[in-house]
Amino acid sequence: MTSGDILHMRRAIALAARGLGGASPNPVVGCVILDPSGEVAGEGFHAYAGGPHAEVVALREAGGRARGGTAYVTLEPCDHTGRTGPCTAALLEAGVARVVVAVSDPNPKAAGGAATLRRHGVVVDEGVLTAEAEEVNAAWLTSVRAGRPYVTWKFAATVDGRSAAEDGTSQWITSPEARADVHRLRAESDAVVAGIGTVLADDPQLTARVPATSRAAPVLRVVVDPGARTPATARVLDGEAPTLVAVAEDAAVPAHLSRHAVRLPRVPGGIDLHALLAELHGRQVVSVMVEGGPTLAGAFLREGLVDRVVGYLAPALLGAGPAALGAAGVSTITEIHRLEFAEATPVGPDLKLVLRPQSPVPSKSPVPSKSSGRTSPKES
C-alpha cells in the first residue's frame, strides 16, 4: 500500500459518502480511476438504487484513458447482474489493469468480483483503508452481516443531561444549526423511529426537511405504539411521508390507523424491538434513527440494538426535568454501557458527539416478519 493508494482511496471514500440516503437499500460506493500515467481520469459514486454503480460512472468520465489504468473502489466490484450489469464486466471491457479494493463484499449474491478480475489478468489489491470504508458503509454492512437495520440513537440535551425542563417544555434546547444537522442525519436514514409518548407530548412531524435532491424517497416514519393510541390528528399521519405504526398484536386498532398499523409481539413494557427491526429489514430499511424519548432509547440500549449514538449538547443547565435516557438495563456499575468517542464537533454554539459501543453488536439471525413478504435487501 503506497501513499498514493491511501490518497486515492480516501477520495473514493469521500465520494461514497455522497450516496448516503440515496443509494439505499444498496451500499454506498465510491470509485476513482487513474490513467496509466497516474493522473485522475474519472470519479463516481452510486447515487441511487437502480442507477449506475460507482465504477460505471467513473469509467464513463474516464473514457479511453482508463485502459491500462488503476481503479480505486471502496467495495469489491459486484460480479452479478441485478438492475444493472456486473461492474467486473465494465472494468474488464475498459481495460483497467489494476483494481484496489477497500472492503470485500459480504453479500454472497454480489461477491466474487476480485476473483473474476484476477482470472482475467487484472491485478487486485485488497484491504486499503478498510476501516474508513466500512465506517461510511456501516449501515449497509450491518444490514447484510447482522440481518437487521443499523440503529442510531439521537438525542439533544443540556450538559447536565436533561432533555426538557421540569414542566416538560423542551423547545428549543439546542440551536438552529444543531437542528439543521439533525435533519441531515434523518435524510441519510431510511426510517425515523419515535415512541408514542413523544408523539402524544410533542406531536413531531418526523420528516427530513432538506432539499428534495438529498433523497430519492421520503424517510419512513415509525411510531412504536403498543396500544394503538396515535390520534388521527397526529402530524406523523399528515401524508407528507409514509408512516408505519407498530402496535401490539393484541391491540384494538382504530380505523384511522388501519392502513398504517403493523402488529408485532408484545413484551413487558412494549413491543418486541427485535421483531420491529426484522419487519423493517423485510421492507428494505437499511438504517434507522431512533429519536423518540428516553423510554424508547433505553429499550433499544437494553436490547443491545444501538450501533451509534449521536448527541447534541447545549451549553445550558436545567438541574431538573426528564433525562435524555431512561432505564437501559443497568442496575449496577458493572453493567454500564461503555462507548467510544468517534467524533466531537462544534455545531453552532452546541457540541455534537458521535459514539459507538465498545463491543460490536453481534450478528443475529433475523426474526421472520409475519406481516411483510418482502425479501432482505440485496445489492441491485
Side-chain angles (χ1 to χ4, degrees):
M1 180 168 57
T2 68
S3 59
D5 289 341
I6 294 173
L7 175 68
H8 297 304
M9 186 61 77
R10 191 156 282 148
R11 172 59 180 166
I13 293 169
L15 288 167
R18 296 185 184 179
L20 289 169
S24 184
N26 287 0
V28 295
V29 183
C31 179
V32 174
I33 305 288
L34 306 187
D35 66 17
S37 69
E39 295 296 317
V40 175
E43 296 183 338
F45 68 96
H46 185 43
Y48 60 95
H53 289 192
E55 297 93 322
V56 173
V57 176
L59 287 169
R60 286 175 182 171
E61 184 176 293
R65 295 174 63 195
R67 187 161 298 278
T70 299
Y72 292 86
V73 191
T74 58
L75 183 68
E76 179 183 8
C78 65
D79 198 36
H80 82 299
T81 299
R83 281 182 281 186
T84 61
C87 291
T88 50
L91 291 164
L92 291 170
E93 183 179 352
V96 171
R98 179 180 179 233
V99 175
V100 183
V101 175
V103 180
S104 298
D105 196 328
N107 182 353
K109 181 178 178 180
T116 295
L117 292 169
R118 288 189 179 106
R119 282 198 303 271
H120 287 82
V122 177
V123 175
V124 180
D125 294 315
E126 301 181 78
V128 176
L129 296 187
T130 298
E132 291 183 32
E134 287 203 344
E135 173 61 30
V136 77
N137 219 1
W140 182 81
L141 289 169
T142 298
S143 179
V144 172
R145 292 169 176 170
R148 64 161 178 79
Y150 180 84
V151 177
T152 295
W153 168 46
K154 165 261 163 185
F155 72 92
T158 58
V159 291
D160 58 337
R162 304 293 177 175
S163 61
E166 195 168 12
D167 65 356
T169 55
S170 61
Q171 295 182 331
W172 295 102
I173 286 177
T174 53
S175 64
E177 295 90 339
R179 297 197 295 276
D181 197 62
V182 169
H183 283 285
R184 180 189 61 80
L185 276 181
R186 284 182 185 173
E188 291 179 358
S189 305
D190 295 330
V192 177
V193 181
I196 182 59
T198 296
V199 169
L200 295 176
D202 299 335
D203 194 22
Q205 192 176 29
L206 297 181
T207 53
R209 291 185 285 277
V210 294
T213 54
S214 299
R215 281 196 61 86
V219 177
L220 174 67
R221 301 178 291 190
V222 180
V223 181
V224 178
D225 181 9
R229 295 187 292 148
T230 302
T233 56
R235 292 205 298 162
V236 292
L237 303 179
D238 61 9
E240 291 295 314
T243 301
L244 192 71
V245 181
V247 304
E249 54 193 356
D250 57 352
V253 178
H256 70 271
L257 291 182
S258 59
R259 68 186 182 92
H260 301 284
V262 57
R263 293 183 180 275
L264 297 172
R266 183 186 290 275
V267 297
I271 64 167
D272 186 334
L273 296 181
H274 294 275
L276 171 62
L277 293 184
E279 174 71 28
L280 295 177
H281 182 72
R283 293 169 180 259
Q284 296 198 330
V285 170
V286 171
S287 57
V288 165
M289 187 166 162
V290 176
E291 290 201 54
T295 301
L296 186 63
F300 269 91
L301 274 168
R302 192 164 59 245
E303 293 298 315
L305 294 174
V306 173
D307 302 291
R308 180 176 65 162
V309 177
V310 179
Y312 296 86
L313 295 184
L317 298 168
L318 281 170
L325 180 63
V330 177
S331 58
T332 182
I333 196 65
T334 58
E335 298 169 346
I336 193 170
H337 296 281
R338 295 284 183 186
L339 307 173
E340 295 176 345
F341 284 104
E343 179 186 331
T345 311
V347 179
D350 305 317
L351 181 63
K352 176 184 178 181
L353 301 176
V354 179
L355 308 99
R356 292 179 181 80
Q358 286 187 352
S359 300
V361 176
S363 298
K364 298 179 183 291
S365 298
V367 178
S369 168
K370 293 195 290 186
S371 58
S372 172
R374 297 173 178 86
T375 57
S376 300
K378 299 290 187 183
E379 185 182 7
S380 56

